[in-house]
């Protein structure tokens, strides 16, 4: 079968939302495939554009009766929102960098529907090539390049290639525009001007928004790159590159600030950083992140913090469902009593000066709040069961005169049960009503959320 010579393929591409046309050579494989499909030598009877069925991301079309063919992209294209730019003055010895690409630098363009897809779906690999007078500099393929005497007097450009690995998505290629020639070493290196009076406002609490203020225009007609910093380090988050920032639990206890980098062709970038905020809190005066509103006993836990009875952990958690340990119990009680002075008269064989909460445990033994165990140990890391908790609270109240009832308030606490009097005193004092099934569950460990409730009730009854 004889076919007319094909002058080439006309490639139509959408680049940045604009249609770009370029001619490609028609490959033998394509001619063969089109011939096999009965298309390559079809009679030119159709003036309107006709196309093959899409294969992968392409279909082939003709509007001259298949005398010429052009592939049309029907899938996804990777497009760039702007050309690459160079950060750095062209001076021998100075190091150049690409200006950081904006978050929306690369997007996927669906050329079948003419729509841009969400950029979060783009996982782009970027490679670089530095050039002098449009010629590739051997080995200059990193994201930085230090100018040498070999580049003096030449114009430097940067080529950027972006692609999506393991994908049929088209790649993006762009190059920066050449600037002035590279100057000798020792020439002045100008720095791009930066905003003055940079500051932030807003309450640094989780879920709150911080904004930036400045006394000059951010644009400066040069371009800027904004990054919120957490304790001086850039926040790795899609929401961290704008003039507003919504704080998260990862920010708790950290100081936030905004860094502004400014860029101007032929200049090194300028840097301005706003003053740091106060440490981010769950709410003003409270630094716990695992007790959101609505958590059982959340009000009592908040009170524990605000009253200084609990400081929680260094990671800003309270861990409400963990059992209370005996050392922490001593600390809670000591703080609840406003850290009273005392004369040490009781020691425990397993508590030394280096033991955590040594002072609080010694206080508990010295004032009779705790008697410890028969072997003279305190067992600071042991858990506090609900019966022992009742004994602690009863002694903390000063062991008031109280006649235990003949019939227990709790169906699982009978006369003869250890701490029978103290447990029933908890009920009559309004500190505990037990469980809905009428039990007290003496041997169950006390969790930290319930301990906050017991502490709060004790404070209300005896100190309120």
């Amino acid at each position: 079968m004889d076919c007319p010579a094909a002058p080439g393929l006309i490639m139509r591409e959408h680049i940045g939302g604009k249609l770009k046309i370029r001619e490609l050579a028609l490959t033998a494989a394509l001619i063969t495939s089109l011939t096999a499909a009965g298309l390559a030598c079809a009679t030119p009877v159709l003036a309107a554009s006709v196309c093959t069925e899409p294969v992968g991301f392409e279909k082939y079309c003709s509007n001259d009766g298949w005398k010429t063919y052009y592939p049309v992209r029907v899938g996804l294209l990777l497009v760039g929102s702007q050309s690459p730019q160079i950060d750095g003055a062209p001076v021998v010895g100075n190091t150049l960098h690409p200006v950081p690409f904006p978050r929306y630098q690369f997007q996927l363009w669906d050329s079948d529907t003419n729509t841009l897809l969400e950029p979060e779906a783009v996982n782009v690999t970027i490679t670089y090539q530095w050039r002098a007078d449009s010629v590739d500099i051997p080995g200059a393929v990193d994201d930085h390049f230090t100018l040498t005497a070999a580049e003096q007097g030449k114009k430097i450009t940067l080529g950027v290639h972006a692609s999506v690995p393991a994908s049929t998505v088209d790649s993006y290629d762009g190059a920066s525009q050449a600037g002035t020639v590279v100057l000798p070493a020792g020439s002045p290196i100008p720095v791009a001007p930066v905003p003055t009076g940079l500051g932030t406002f807003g309450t640094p609490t989780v879920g709150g928004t911080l904004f930036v203020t400045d006394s000059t225009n951010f644009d400066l007609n040069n371009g800027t790159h904004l990054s919120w910093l957490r304790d001086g380090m850039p926040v790795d988050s899609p929401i961290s590159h704008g003039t507003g920032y919504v704080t998260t639990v990862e920010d708790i206890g950290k100081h936030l600030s905004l860094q502004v980098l400014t860029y101007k062709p032929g200049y090194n970038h300028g840097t301005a950083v706003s003053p740091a905020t106060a440490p981010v809190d769950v709410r003003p005066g409270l630094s716990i992140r695992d007790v959101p509103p609505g958590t059982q006993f959340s009000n009592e836990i908040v009170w524990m913090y605000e009253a200084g009875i609990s400081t929680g952990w260094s990671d800003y958690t309270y861990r409400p469902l963990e059992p209370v340990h005996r050392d922490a119990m001593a600390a809670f009680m000591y703080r609840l009593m406003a850290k009273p002075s005392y004369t040490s008269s009781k020691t425990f064989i397993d508590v030394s000066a280096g033991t955590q909460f040594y002072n609080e445990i010694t206080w508990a033994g010295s004032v009779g709040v705790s008697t410890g165990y028969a072997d003279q140990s305190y067992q600071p890391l042991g858990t506090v069961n609900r019966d022992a908790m009742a004994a602690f609270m009863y002694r903390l109240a000063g062991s008031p005169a109280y006649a235990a009832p003949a019939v227990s308030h709790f169906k699982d606490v009978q006369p003869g049960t250890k701490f029978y009097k103290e447990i029933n005193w908890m009920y009559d004092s309004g500190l505990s009503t037990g469980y809905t099934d009428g039990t007290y569950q003496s041997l169950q460990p006390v969790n930290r959320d319930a301990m906050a409730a017991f502490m709060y009730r004790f404070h209300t009854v005896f100190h309120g």
Side-chain angles (χ1 to χ4, degrees), residues 86-91 94 96 177 179-181 183 188-192 263-269:
I86 295 176
D87 167 26
V91 176
N94 194 34
L96 308 180
Q177 294 183 346
T180 58
V181 299
L183 301 176
I189 298 179
V191 176
Y263 302 95
K264 185 175 182 179
Y267 287 64
N268 279 8
H269 71 261

Side-chain angles (χ1 to χ4, degrees), residues 14 59 73-75 109-114:
H14 285 285
K59 61 184 177 183
R73 196 72 171 175
V74 296
W109 176 269
D110 187 336
S111 62
D112 202 29
T113 60
N114 289 342

Side-chain angles (χ1 to χ4, degrees), residues 103 225-228 234-245 258:
R103 177 170 171 242
H225 182 74
L226 309 181
S227 294
W228 285 88
V235 177
D236 184 16
S237 167
I239 63 175
S240 63
H241 299 291
T243 55
Y245 176 71
L258 181 71

Side-chain angles (χ1 to χ4, degrees), residues 122-430:
V122 186
N123 179 21
V124 180
T125 296
I126 302 173
T127 56
Y128 303 95
Q129 177 62 64
W130 296 90
R131 303 183 177 110
D133 284 346
S134 301
V135 177
D136 290 355
I137 301 173
V141 294
D142 295 324
D143 62 353
H144 61 279
F145 177 68
T146 301
L147 296 167
T148 69
E151 288 78 51
Q152 183 173 323
K154 299 179 181 179
K155 294 183 177 181
I156 302 300
T157 54
L158 172 64
V160 174
H161 175 77
S163 60
V164 178
S167 169
T168 54
V169 173
D170 277 356
S171 61
Y172 164 84
D173 291 277
S176 64
Q177 294 183 346
T180 58
V181 299
V182 176
L183 301 176
S187 300
I189 298 179
V191 176
V194 297
T196 59
L198 196 63
T200 60
F201 68 94
T203 304
T205 58
V206 171
T209 303
L210 297 176
F211 297 96
V212 64
T213 60
D214 73 304
S215 61
T216 63
N217 189 331
F218 264 109
D219 186 5
L220 298 176
N221 298 315
N222 304 320
T224 58
H225 182 74
L226 309 181
S227 294
W228 285 88
L229 308 180
R230 180 188 293 141
D231 280 352
M233 299 300 293
V235 177
D236 184 16
S237 167
I239 63 175
S240 63
H241 299 291
T243 55
Y245 176 71
V246 179
T247 59
T248 68
V249 293
E250 286 75 18
D251 298 318
I252 294 175
K254 309 297 185 182
H255 300 80
L256 298 177
S257 55
L258 181 71
Q259 175 180 269
V260 179
L261 303 182
T262 57
Y263 302 95
K264 185 175 182 179
Y267 287 64
N268 279 8
H269 71 261
T271 304
V273 180
S274 69
T277 67
V280 174
D281 234 329
V282 171
R283 69 174 199 175
L286 180 63
S287 294
I288 46 176
R289 65 178 187 176
D290 59 346
V291 185
T295 301
Q296 188 177 29
F297 302 129
S298 60
N299 289 337
E300 291 86 345
I301 294 170
V302 168
W303 169 81
M304 289 276 280
Y305 271 83
E306 293 179 338
I309 295 170
S310 175
T311 59
W313 271 267
S314 59
D315 62 355
Y316 304 96
T317 60
Y318 180 77
R319 307 180 190 180
L321 299 183
E322 286 193 9
V324 177
H325 291 174
R326 288 171 57 84
D327 56 354
M329 184 72 193
F332 287 157
M333 293 187 294
Y334 181 69
R335 296 167 188 160
L336 182 63
M337 302 307 289
K339 302 180 180 180
S341 59
Y342 69 96
T343 300
S344 178
S345 61
K346 176 68 175 179
T347 59
F348 300 101
I349 61 173
D350 57 347
V351 177
S352 62
T355 302
Q356 187 176 27
F357 302 130
Y358 167 80
N359 181 58
E360 293 86 342
I361 294 171
T362 302
W363 164 82
S366 298
V367 300
V369 173
S370 175
T371 59
Y373 290 87
D375 63 356
Q376 300 303 308
S377 67
Y378 182 78
Q379 301 182 20
L381 299 183
T383 56
V384 178
N385 288 347
R386 288 170 59 84
D387 57 353
M389 182 272 299
F392 283 141
M393 302 298 274
Y394 175 72
R395 297 168 192 156
L396 191 64
S399 300
Y402 172 73
V407 178
S408 175
H409 295 298
F410 305 103
K411 65 183 183 182
D412 61 341
V413 178
Q414 303 302 322
T417 300
K418 188 176 182 181
F419 301 130
Y420 174 81
K421 180 175 74 171
E422 291 85 345
I423 293 170
N424 279 277
W425 170 84
M426 291 279 289
Y427 181 93
D428 285 324
S429 298

Side-chain angles (χ1 to χ4, degrees), residues 15-17 77-83 104-107 172-173:
I15 302 295
L77 299 174
L78 188 64
V79 299
S81 63
Q82 68 181 47
S83 298
Y104 297 105
Q105 170 68 40
F106 296 109
Q107 294 179 299
Y172 164 84
D173 291 277

Side-chain angles (χ1 to χ4, degrees), residues 437-457:
D437 62 358
T439 63
Y440 181 78
Q441 302 185 21
S442 304
L443 301 183
Q444 288 295 315
V446 183
N447 285 348
R448 289 171 56 85
D449 57 353
M451 195 66 243
F454 289 134
M455 287 281 170
Y456 178 75
R457 294 167 194 163

